[in-house]
Amino acid sequence: MIVAFSVQPTGEPSDPSVSRDLAEGSDSASVHDAVAAAVRVVRESGLPTRTSAMFTEVEGEWDEVMEVVGRATAEAGRYGSRVSLVLKADIRPGRTGELDGKVQRMESAVDRLENR
């Protein structure tokens, strides 16, 4: 399965050991530190993953993917008093390599359309 998820903490950090670093170009609504902490958890899981401007995708079996999403959400939660989690799942038993496979099939379809 592939899960695409997004986390957004709000409020003051629940963990007093974390602080927000408002990097150049960011504003007070920026959550890049919390997202970076969540993405680090996902990348350290060893599962196939991809991060874009809006979502992080992770591929694996249900239990392992959901465990990683749970840990990533908890990590982001340290940066706020509340966390919003958006999750979308593509569940296809027996399929692997779909994180890249789906994109490759779509790109091939775009190429065919462009060359008509």
Side-chain angles (χ1 to χ4, degrees), residues 24-115:
E24 184 177 333
S26 64
D27 61 29
S28 63
S30 181
V31 293
H32 62 268
D33 288 333
V35 172
V39 168
R40 186 184 71 234
V41 168
V42 175
R43 290 180 180 173
E44 289 175 353
S45 76
L47 296 175
T49 182
R50 177 180 295 123
T51 299
S52 67
M54 297 288 294
F55 286 93
T56 294
E57 299 168 327
V58 60
E59 182 175 15
E61 296 298 320
W62 178 277
D63 289 340
E64 61 188 358
V65 168
M66 296 311 246
E67 190 267 336
V68 168
V69 170
R71 286 191 298 115
T73 302
E75 184 64 20
R78 296 174 53 226
Y79 291 80
S81 57
R82 182 180 202 167
V83 179
S84 173
L85 170 66
V86 175
L87 185 142
K88 181 177 181 179
D90 181 6
I91 303 165
R92 294 182 77 182
R95 300 292 292 246
T96 60
E98 289 298 285
L99 198 62
D100 293 323
K102 290 177 74 162
V103 174
Q104 291 167 350
R105 289 189 298 275
M106 182 274 304
E107 291 293 348
S108 292
V110 169
D111 290 343
R112 285 192 308 274
L113 290 173
E114 289 176 346
N115 293 315

